[in-house]
Amino acid sequence: MFRNVLCLVLGLIVGMQLTELWDYLMLTGDEYESTAIAVDTAAPTPLAEATLADRLYHETRVLCLVLTMPTQHKTKAAKVMSTWGARCNKLIFLSSQDDVELGAVNLNVTESRDNLYAKVRAGLAYAYEHYVEDYDWFLKADDDTYVVMENLRLFLYPYDPEAAVFFGHRFRTTYPHGYMSGGAGYVLSRDALRRLNLFALNNTKFCPLNTNAEDRQIGHCLLNVGVVAGDSRDELGRERFLPLHPRHLMPRIQSGTWLDKYYYFKPNLSDCCSDSGISFHYTKMYDYDMYEFFLYHLRIFGLPKTPSVLPQRLDYKQMEEKLQYWDQQISDNTAPIDD
Ligand SMILES: *[C@@H]1O[C@H](CO)[C@@H](O)[C@H](O)[C@H]1NC(C)=O
Ligand SMILES: *[C@@H]1O[C@H](CO)[C@@H](O)[C@H](O)[C@H]1NC(C)=O
Ligand SMILES: *[C@@H]1O[C@H](CO)[C@@H](O)[C@H](O)[C@H]1NC(C)=O
């Protein structure tokens, strides 16, 4: 008898907590719709990671723009679509030929290495015209980039997409703030995409059309319209966006590569890569499925897997302070660069 009463009471308590949890989830969802950024004031509620990843999918919406070309539609682009690209909120391939099955758009730019910048410009204009209000962040990647979308969303979650910022693996160049590696992938906030389209792409002073490298040029255009180059390294200074293949990073970053000349923040050679890493470059055809297997399927027996909480979102003032801080970060790589 006593045991039955105890069970009843326990059941009621659990039920009430679940109801509260449900209300909490509904509430934060609504708030996010109506304001630029909702700041969680309630104590973080531990939830299963799968539930959090699902929530992130809806709250940190990413449109992926993957640079490819017709000869790669059935090879690398198809691999992107069947692996990480499927986890984007929307996936669009920037190409010179329409491909409905793939979701490739013909941007009417002649295929050539010299035209990659023109193609990315056209792609970012296309994304702006059709989708700027539908997504929060706009990722530009190559067809040999591999992106862990869940970690990208987790990294972006605290930041307001209405702040003018972009993230990626930062390279140094002749202008002080540098730019983000195109191969590691870079991600623009909604406001960065808006500024690029409203004030840069139509202005030859801020954003000249030429045949230079797309990442360097887009970076320059963004900086010229007040978009801040954000810092995406983790709390130990390890990079999350990686411009190399893992075999050149582990167990040590190989020194004497082109990276020595380009890195903006000095890497720790023996501890290169963040545990919450986001991207790799130079993905080979056989790598896509291998990464999928190791990242999404293989389970290690006995490895603790604890429920986690989402980080706090920054409010307007905190975001402003972050932008100012990032804007003043200067490279510790002072060697001259000759590109
Ligand atoms: C490319 O050109 C065709 C024909 O003029 C046009 O229908 C299409 O909308 C253009 N594509 C883009 C992305 O502008
Ligand atoms: C670019 O477009 C914006 C918004 O329509 C306009 O205010 C600005 O004057 C244009 N710039 C140039 C150089 O045409
Ligand atoms: C580099 O990483 C190693 C291994 O994690 C660590 O022991 C060392 O303190 C790091 N060095 C710097 C300068 O952070």
Side-chain angles (χ1 to χ4, degrees):
M1 175 61 193
F2 173 72
R3 198 182 284 175
N4 284 349
V5 170
L6 188 66
C7 286
L8 182 67
V9 171
L10 279 178
L12 280 174
I13 292 172
V14 170
M16 274 159 59
Q17 282 180 345
L18 282 179
T19 316
E20 270 171 29
L21 183 63
W22 177 250
D23 287 344
Y24 170 74
L25 286 178
M26 290 296 99
L27 193 72
T28 48
D30 285 345
E31 273 174 10
Y32 185 66
E33 288 304 312
S34 58
T35 61
I37 186 151
V39 178
D40 295 340
T41 45
T45 314
L47 290 172
E49 280 185 23
T51 314
L52 288 179
D54 188 51
R55 182 175 153 193
L56 273 182
Y57 180 89
H58 297 287
E59 292 192 9
T60 303
R61 301 163 304 173
V62 183
L63 169 63
C64 302
L65 302 163
V66 178
L67 188 59
T68 191
M69 56 178 126
T71 54
Q72 298 295 343
H73 282 195
K74 293 215 176 332
T75 55
K76 288 181 184 168
K79 280 291 183 198
V80 168
M81 188 169 86
S82 68
T83 60
W84 69 266
R87 303 184 188 102
C88 298
N89 292 77
K90 186 172 180 69
L91 173 65
I92 298 175
F93 288 93
L94 312 181
S95 186
S96 55
Q97 205 172 288
D98 287 316
D99 186 332
V100 178
E101 217 176 297
L102 195 63
V105 181
N106 173 9
L107 293 164
N108 299 319
V109 174
T110 312
E111 284 303 342
S112 114
R113 216 185 154 72
D114 282 350
N115 274 352
L116 288 181
Y117 169 47
K119 200 153 113 187
V120 172
R121 281 174 64 116
L124 290 168
Y126 180 86
Y128 174 72
E129 202 177 306
H130 294 88
Y131 299 108
V132 68
E133 299 304 335
D134 299 334
Y135 300 95
D136 305 302
W137 299 91
F138 299 83
L139 172 74
K140 182 265 147 190
D142 287 348
D143 57 12
D144 63 346
T145 312
Y146 184 94
V147 184
V148 181
M149 289 301 295
E150 292 82 353
N151 287 357
L152 174 63
R153 290 195 183 93
L154 181 66
F155 167 71
L156 293 172
Y157 178 77
Y159 305 125
D160 187 349
E162 287 301 327
V165 65
F166 73 128
F167 296 102
H169 185 100
R170 202 156 163 191
F171 280 163
R172 66 186 299 275
T173 183
T174 42
Y175 48 87
H177 287 94
Y179 63 97
M180 304 300 173
S181 152
Y186 54 82
V187 61
L188 276 59
S189 68
R190 192 187 306 121
D191 194 48
L193 183 70
R194 200 183 283 127
R195 285 180 187 227
L196 181 78
N197 277 274
L198 289 181
F199 310 117
L201 294 186
N202 69 348
N203 187 320
T204 51
K205 200 165 97 219
F206 290 157
C207 193
L209 192 49
N210 54 35
T211 56
N212 293 347
E214 68 85 11
D215 45 8
R216 183 167 179 269
Q217 285 306 119
I218 295 289
H220 203 188
C221 302
L222 289 168
L223 293 166
N224 281 340
V225 293
V227 178
V228 171
D231 186 354
S232 57
R233 294 172 305 160
D234 70 12
E235 49 301 331
L236 297 177
R238 300 176 302 188
E239 295 282 354
R240 289 187 167 100
F241 291 81
L242 299 164
L244 296 177
H245 188 281
R247 73 175 185 277
H248 296 305
L249 296 164
M250 291 153 206
R252 301 173 59 79
I253 300 184
Q254 291 176 9
S255 54
T257 66
W258 56 268
L259 193 60
D260 290 348
K261 205 169 73 170
Y262 280 87
Y263 71 73
Y264 195 88
F265 297 116
K266 189 178 178 58
N268 181 336
L269 290 181
S270 50
D271 196 7
C272 67
C273 308
S274 178
D275 294 348
S276 53
I278 292 172
S279 69
F280 293 115
H281 188 205
Y282 299 120
T283 311
K284 303 272 182 219
M285 281 300 282
Y286 51 77
D287 287 327
Y288 296 92
D289 294 316
M290 195 174 70
Y291 291 167
E292 288 287 303
F293 175 72
F294 283 125
L295 290 168
Y296 291 92
H297 298 288
L298 188 70
R299 295 276 172 265
I300 311 300
F301 176 69
L303 204 68
K305 199 123 174 68
T306 52
S308 26
V309 293
L310 292 179
Q312 286 285 318
R313 304 190 96 168
L314 305 189
D315 64 22
Y316 182 79
K317 189 162 164 285
Q318 291 166 328
M319 191 73 219
E320 279 295 301
E321 283 166 8
K322 265 287 191 218
L323 290 177
Q324 274 173 26
Y325 173 72
W326 286 331
D327 199 34
Q328 284 158 17
Q329 272 182 315
I330 304 297
S331 172
D332 47 15
N333 182 10
T334 52
I337 194 162
D338 50 12
D339 65 339

